CSV table of all heavy atoms in Angstrom, one decimal:
chain,number,residue,atom,x,y,z
A,3,GLY,N,-6.3,-51.6,-4.5
A,3,GLY,CA,-7.5,-51.9,-5.2
A,3,GLY,C,-8.0,-50.8,-6.0
A,3,GLY,O,-7.5,-49.6,-5.9
A,4,VAL,N,-9.2,-51.1,-6.6
A,4,VAL,CA,-9.8,-49.9,-7.4
A,4,VAL,C,-10.5,-49.1,-6.4
A,4,VAL,O,-11.3,-49.5,-5.5
A,4,VAL,CB,-10.9,-50.5,-8.4
A,4,VAL,CG1,-11.7,-49.4,-9.1
A,4,VAL,CG2,-10.2,-51.5,-9.3
A,5,MET,N,-10.3,-47.7,-6.4
A,5,MET,CA,-10.8,-46.9,-5.4
A,5,MET,C,-11.8,-45.9,-6.1
A,5,MET,O,-11.6,-45.3,-7.0
A,5,MET,CB,-9.6,-46.0,-4.9
A,5,MET,CG,-8.5,-46.8,-4.2
A,5,MET,SD,-9.0,-47.8,-2.9
A,5,MET,CE,-9.4,-46.6,-1.7
A,6,GLN,N,-13.0,-45.9,-5.4
A,6,GLN,CA,-14.1,-45.0,-5.9
A,6,GLN,C,-14.4,-44.0,-4.8
A,6,GLN,O,-14.5,-44.5,-3.6
A,6,GLN,CB,-15.3,-45.9,-6.3
A,6,GLN,CG,-15.1,-46.7,-7.5
A,6,GLN,CD,-16.4,-47.4,-8.0
A,6,GLN,OE1,-16.6,-48.6,-7.9
A,6,GLN,NE2,-17.4,-46.6,-8.4
A,7,ASN,N,-14.7,-42.9,-5.2
A,7,ASN,CA,-15.4,-41.9,-4.3
A,7,ASN,C,-16.3,-40.9,-5.0
A,7,ASN,O,-16.1,-40.7,-6.2
A,7,ASN,CB,-14.2,-41.2,-3.4
A,7,ASN,CG,-13.5,-40.3,-4.3
A,7,ASN,OD1,-13.9,-39.1,-4.5
A,7,ASN,ND2,-12.3,-40.8,-4.7
A,8,PRO,N,-17.3,-40.5,-4.3
A,8,PRO,CA,-17.7,-40.8,-3.0
A,8,PRO,C,-18.3,-42.2,-2.9
A,8,PRO,O,-18.8,-42.7,-4.0
A,8,PRO,CB,-18.7,-39.7,-2.5
A,8,PRO,CG,-19.3,-39.4,-3.9
A,8,PRO,CD,-18.2,-39.5,-4.9
A,9,ARG,N,-18.4,-42.8,-1.8
A,9,ARG,CA,-19.1,-44.1,-1.6
A,9,ARG,C,-20.6,-43.9,-1.6
A,9,ARG,O,-21.3,-44.8,-2.2
A,9,ARG,CB,-18.7,-44.8,-0.3
A,9,ARG,CG,-17.2,-45.2,-0.2
A,9,ARG,CD,-16.9,-46.4,-1.3
A,9,ARG,NE,-17.9,-47.4,-1.2
A,9,ARG,CZ,-18.0,-48.3,-0.3
A,9,ARG,NH1,-17.1,-48.3,0.7
A,9,ARG,NH2,-18.9,-49.2,-0.4
A,10,HIS,N,-21.1,-42.8,-1.1
A,10,HIS,CA,-22.4,-42.5,-1.1
A,10,HIS,C,-22.6,-41.0,-1.5
A,10,HIS,O,-21.9,-40.2,-1.0
A,10,HIS,CB,-23.1,-42.8,0.2
A,10,HIS,CG,-23.0,-44.2,0.7
A,10,HIS,ND1,-23.9,-45.1,0.3
A,10,HIS,CD2,-22.0,-44.9,1.4
A,10,HIS,CE1,-23.6,-46.3,0.8
A,10,HIS,NE2,-22.4,-46.2,1.5
A,11,LEU,N,-23.6,-40.8,-2.3
A,11,LEU,CA,-23.9,-39.5,-2.7
A,11,LEU,C,-25.4,-39.3,-2.8
A,11,LEU,O,-26.1,-40.0,-3.5
A,11,LEU,CB,-23.2,-39.3,-4.1
A,11,LEU,CG,-23.3,-37.8,-4.8
A,11,LEU,CD1,-22.5,-36.8,-4.0
A,11,LEU,CD2,-22.7,-37.9,-6.2
A,12,VAL,N,-25.8,-38.2,-2.3
A,12,VAL,CA,-27.3,-37.8,-2.4
A,12,VAL,C,-27.3,-36.5,-3.2
A,12,VAL,O,-26.6,-35.5,-2.8
A,12,VAL,CB,-27.9,-37.6,-1.0
A,12,VAL,CG1,-29.3,-37.2,-1.1
A,12,VAL,CG2,-27.7,-38.9,-0.2
A,13,ARG,N,-28.1,-36.5,-4.2
A,13,ARG,CA,-28.3,-35.3,-4.9
A,13,ARG,C,-29.8,-35.0,-5.2
A,13,ARG,O,-30.6,-36.0,-5.2
A,13,ARG,CB,-27.7,-35.4,-6.4
A,13,ARG,CG,-26.2,-35.3,-6.4
A,13,ARG,CD,-25.8,-33.9,-6.2
A,13,ARG,NE,-24.3,-33.7,-6.2
A,13,ARG,CZ,-23.6,-33.7,-5.0
A,13,ARG,NH1,-24.2,-33.8,-3.9
A,13,ARG,NH2,-22.4,-33.4,-5.1
A,14,ARG,N,-30.1,-33.8,-5.3
A,14,ARG,CA,-31.6,-33.4,-5.6
A,14,ARG,C,-31.7,-33.4,-7.1
A,14,ARG,O,-30.7,-33.2,-7.9
A,14,ARG,CB,-31.9,-32.0,-5.1
A,14,ARG,CG,-31.8,-31.9,-3.6
A,14,ARG,CD,-32.3,-30.5,-3.1
A,14,ARG,NE,-32.2,-30.3,-1.7
A,14,ARG,CZ,-33.0,-30.8,-0.8
A,14,ARG,NH1,-34.1,-31.5,-1.2
A,14,ARG,NH2,-32.8,-30.7,0.4
A,15,ARG,N,-32.9,-33.7,-7.6
A,15,ARG,CA,-33.2,-33.7,-9.0
A,15,ARG,C,-32.7,-32.4,-9.7
A,15,ARG,O,-33.0,-31.3,-9.1
A,15,ARG,CB,-34.7,-33.8,-9.2
A,15,ARG,CG,-35.2,-35.2,-9.1
A,15,ARG,CD,-36.7,-35.3,-9.3
A,15,ARG,NE,-37.4,-34.6,-8.2
A,15,ARG,CZ,-38.8,-34.4,-8.2
A,15,ARG,NH1,-39.4,-34.7,-9.2
A,15,ARG,NH2,-39.3,-33.8,-7.2
A,16,GLY,N,-32.1,-32.5,-10.8
A,16,GLY,CA,-31.6,-31.4,-11.5
A,16,GLY,C,-30.1,-31.0,-11.2
A,16,GLY,O,-29.4,-30.3,-11.9
A,17,GLN,N,-29.5,-31.6,-10.1
A,17,GLN,CA,-28.2,-31.4,-9.8
A,17,GLN,C,-27.2,-32.2,-10.6
A,17,GLN,O,-27.7,-33.1,-11.3
A,17,GLN,CB,-27.9,-31.5,-8.3
A,17,GLN,CG,-28.5,-30.5,-7.4
A,17,GLN,CD,-28.2,-30.7,-5.9
A,17,GLN,OE1,-28.2,-31.8,-5.4
A,17,GLN,NE2,-28.0,-29.6,-5.2
A,18,GLU,N,-25.9,-32.0,-10.3
A,18,GLU,CA,-24.9,-32.8,-11.1
A,18,GLU,C,-24.3,-33.8,-10.1
A,18,GLU,O,-24.1,-33.4,-8.9
A,18,GLU,CB,-23.9,-31.9,-11.7
A,18,GLU,CG,-22.8,-32.7,-12.4
A,18,GLU,CD,-21.7,-31.7,-13.1
A,18,GLU,OE1,-22.0,-31.0,-14.1
A,18,GLU,OE2,-20.6,-31.6,-12.6
A,19,ALA,N,-24.0,-34.9,-10.6
A,19,ALA,CA,-23.2,-35.9,-9.8
A,19,ALA,C,-22.0,-36.2,-10.5
A,19,ALA,O,-21.9,-36.5,-11.7
A,19,ALA,CB,-24.1,-37.2,-9.6
A,20,ARG,N,-20.8,-36.2,-9.7
A,20,ARG,CA,-19.6,-36.6,-10.2
A,20,ARG,C,-19.0,-37.8,-9.4
A,20,ARG,O,-18.8,-37.6,-8.2
A,20,ARG,CB,-18.6,-35.4,-10.2
A,20,ARG,CG,-18.8,-34.4,-11.3
A,20,ARG,CD,-17.6,-33.4,-11.3
A,20,ARG,NE,-17.9,-32.4,-12.2
A,20,ARG,CZ,-17.0,-32.0,-13.1
A,20,ARG,NH1,-15.8,-32.4,-13.1
A,20,ARG,NH2,-17.3,-31.1,-14.0
A,21,LEU,N,-18.7,-38.8,-10.1
A,21,LEU,CA,-18.2,-40.1,-9.4
A,21,LEU,C,-16.8,-40.2,-9.9
A,21,LEU,O,-16.5,-40.2,-11.1
A,21,LEU,CB,-19.1,-41.3,-9.8
A,21,LEU,CG,-20.6,-41.0,-9.6
A,21,LEU,CD1,-21.4,-42.3,-10.0
A,21,LEU,CD2,-20.9,-40.6,-8.1
A,22,ARG,N,-15.9,-40.5,-9.0
A,22,ARG,CA,-14.5,-40.7,-9.4
A,22,ARG,C,-14.0,-42.1,-9.2
A,22,ARG,O,-14.4,-42.8,-8.3
A,22,ARG,CB,-13.6,-39.7,-8.5
A,22,ARG,CG,-13.8,-38.2,-8.9
A,22,ARG,CD,-13.1,-37.3,-7.9
A,22,ARG,NE,-13.7,-37.3,-6.6
A,22,ARG,CZ,-14.7,-36.5,-6.4
A,22,ARG,NH1,-15.3,-35.8,-7.2
A,22,ARG,NH2,-15.2,-36.5,-5.2
A,23,CYS,N,-13.0,-42.5,-10.0
A,23,CYS,CA,-12.5,-43.9,-9.9
A,23,CYS,C,-11.0,-43.8,-10.2
A,23,CYS,O,-10.5,-43.3,-11.3
A,23,CYS,CB,-13.2,-44.7,-10.9
A,23,CYS,SG,-12.3,-46.4,-11.1
A,24,SER,N,-10.2,-44.4,-9.4
A,24,SER,CA,-8.7,-44.5,-9.5
A,24,SER,C,-8.6,-46.1,-9.7
A,24,SER,O,-8.8,-46.8,-8.8
A,24,SER,CB,-8.0,-44.0,-8.3
A,24,SER,OG,-8.1,-42.7,-8.2
A,25,PRO,N,-8.0,-46.4,-10.8
A,25,PRO,CA,-7.9,-47.9,-11.1
A,25,PRO,C,-6.7,-48.4,-10.3
A,25,PRO,O,-6.0,-47.8,-9.5
A,25,PRO,CB,-7.5,-47.9,-12.7
A,25,PRO,CG,-6.9,-46.6,-12.9
A,25,PRO,CD,-7.6,-45.6,-12.0
A,26,MET,N,-6.7,-49.7,-10.3
A,26,MET,CA,-5.6,-50.4,-9.5
A,26,MET,C,-4.3,-50.0,-10.1
A,26,MET,O,-4.2,-49.7,-11.3
A,26,MET,CB,-5.8,-52.0,-9.7
A,26,MET,CG,-6.8,-52.6,-8.8
A,26,MET,SD,-6.9,-54.4,-9.0
A,26,MET,CE,-5.3,-54.9,-8.1
A,27,LYS,N,-3.3,-50.0,-9.3
A,27,LYS,CA,-1.9,-49.6,-9.7
A,27,LYS,C,-1.5,-50.5,-10.9
A,27,LYS,O,-1.6,-51.7,-10.9
A,27,LYS,CB,-1.0,-49.8,-8.6
A,27,LYS,CG,0.4,-49.2,-8.9
A,27,LYS,CD,1.3,-49.3,-7.7
A,27,LYS,CE,2.6,-48.6,-7.9
A,27,LYS,NZ,3.5,-48.7,-6.7
A,28,GLY,N,-1.1,-49.9,-12.0
A,28,GLY,CA,-0.6,-50.6,-13.1
A,28,GLY,C,-1.7,-50.9,-14.2
A,28,GLY,O,-1.5,-51.4,-15.2
A,29,HIS,N,-3.0,-50.6,-13.8
A,29,HIS,CA,-4.1,-50.8,-14.8
A,29,HIS,C,-4.3,-49.5,-15.5
A,29,HIS,O,-4.4,-48.4,-15.0
A,29,HIS,CB,-5.3,-51.1,-14.0
A,29,HIS,CG,-5.3,-52.6,-13.4
A,29,HIS,ND1,-6.5,-53.1,-12.9
A,29,HIS,CD2,-4.3,-53.5,-13.4
A,29,HIS,CE1,-6.1,-54.4,-12.5
A,29,HIS,NE2,-4.9,-54.6,-12.8
A,30,SER,N,-4.5,-49.6,-16.9
A,30,SER,CA,-4.7,-48.5,-17.7
A,30,SER,C,-6.1,-48.6,-18.4
A,30,SER,O,-6.4,-47.7,-19.2
A,30,SER,CB,-3.6,-48.4,-18.8
A,30,SER,OG,-3.6,-49.6,-19.6
A,31,HIS,N,-6.9,-49.7,-18.0
A,31,HIS,CA,-8.2,-49.8,-18.7
A,31,HIS,C,-9.3,-49.7,-17.6
A,31,HIS,O,-9.2,-50.4,-16.6
A,31,HIS,CB,-8.3,-51.2,-19.4
A,31,HIS,CG,-7.3,-51.4,-20.4
A,31,HIS,ND1,-7.7,-51.5,-21.8
A,31,HIS,CD2,-6.0,-51.5,-20.4
A,31,HIS,CE1,-6.6,-51.7,-22.5
A,31,HIS,NE2,-5.6,-51.7,-21.7
A,32,VAL,N,-10.2,-48.7,-17.9
A,32,VAL,CA,-11.3,-48.5,-16.9
A,32,VAL,C,-12.6,-48.7,-17.5
A,32,VAL,O,-12.9,-48.5,-18.6
A,32,VAL,CB,-11.1,-47.1,-16.4
A,32,VAL,CG1,-12.4,-46.7,-15.6
A,32,VAL,CG2,-9.9,-46.9,-15.4
A,33,TYR,N,-13.6,-49.3,-16.7
A,33,TYR,CA,-14.9,-49.6,-17.1
A,33,TYR,C,-15.8,-49.0,-16.1
A,33,TYR,O,-15.6,-49.1,-14.9
A,33,TYR,CB,-15.2,-51.1,-17.2
A,33,TYR,CG,-14.0,-51.9,-18.0
A,33,TYR,CD1,-12.9,-52.3,-17.3
A,33,TYR,CD2,-14.2,-52.1,-19.3
A,33,TYR,CE1,-11.9,-52.9,-18.0
A,33,TYR,CE2,-13.2,-52.9,-20.0
A,33,TYR,CZ,-12.0,-53.2,-19.3
A,33,TYR,OH,-11.1,-53.9,-20.0
A,34,TRP,N,-17.0,-48.5,-16.5
A,34,TRP,CA,-18.0,-48.2,-15.6
A,34,TRP,C,-19.3,-49.1,-15.8
A,34,TRP,O,-19.6,-49.3,-17.0
A,34,TRP,CB,-18.4,-46.7,-15.8
A,34,TRP,CG,-17.4,-45.7,-15.2
A,34,TRP,CD1,-16.4,-45.2,-16.0
A,34,TRP,CD2,-17.4,-45.2,-13.9
A,34,TRP,NE1,-15.7,-44.3,-15.0
A,34,TRP,CE2,-16.2,-44.3,-13.9
A,34,TRP,CE3,-18.2,-45.4,-12.8
A,34,TRP,CZ2,-15.9,-43.6,-12.6
A,34,TRP,CZ3,-17.8,-44.7,-11.6
A,34,TRP,CH2,-16.7,-43.9,-11.5
A,35,TYR,N,-19.8,-49.5,-14.7
A,35,TYR,CA,-21.0,-50.4,-14.8
A,35,TYR,C,-22.0,-49.7,-13.8
A,35,TYR,O,-21.7,-49.0,-12.8
A,35,TYR,CB,-20.8,-51.8,-14.3
A,35,TYR,CG,-20.0,-52.6,-15.3
A,35,TYR,CD1,-18.6,-52.5,-15.4
A,35,TYR,CD2,-20.7,-53.5,-16.1
A,35,TYR,CE1,-17.9,-53.2,-16.3
A,35,TYR,CE2,-20.0,-54.2,-17.0
A,35,TYR,CZ,-18.6,-54.1,-17.1
A,35,TYR,OH,-17.8,-54.9,-18.1
Side-chain angles (χ1 to χ4, degrees):
Chain A
V4 180
M5 304 299 293
Q6 290 188 247
N7 69 84
R9 293 292 315 281
H10 298 275
L11 183 63
V12 179
R13 283 287 176 267
R14 295 187 184 278
R15 280 178 295 171
Q17 290 185 318
E18 179 179 287
R20 280 190 185 226
L21 311 178
R22 289 174 290 277
C23 169
S24 296
M26 279 181 76
K27 190 175 181 181
H29 286 189
S30 59
H31 298 249
V32 167
Y33 313 84
W34 285 93
Y35 287 80

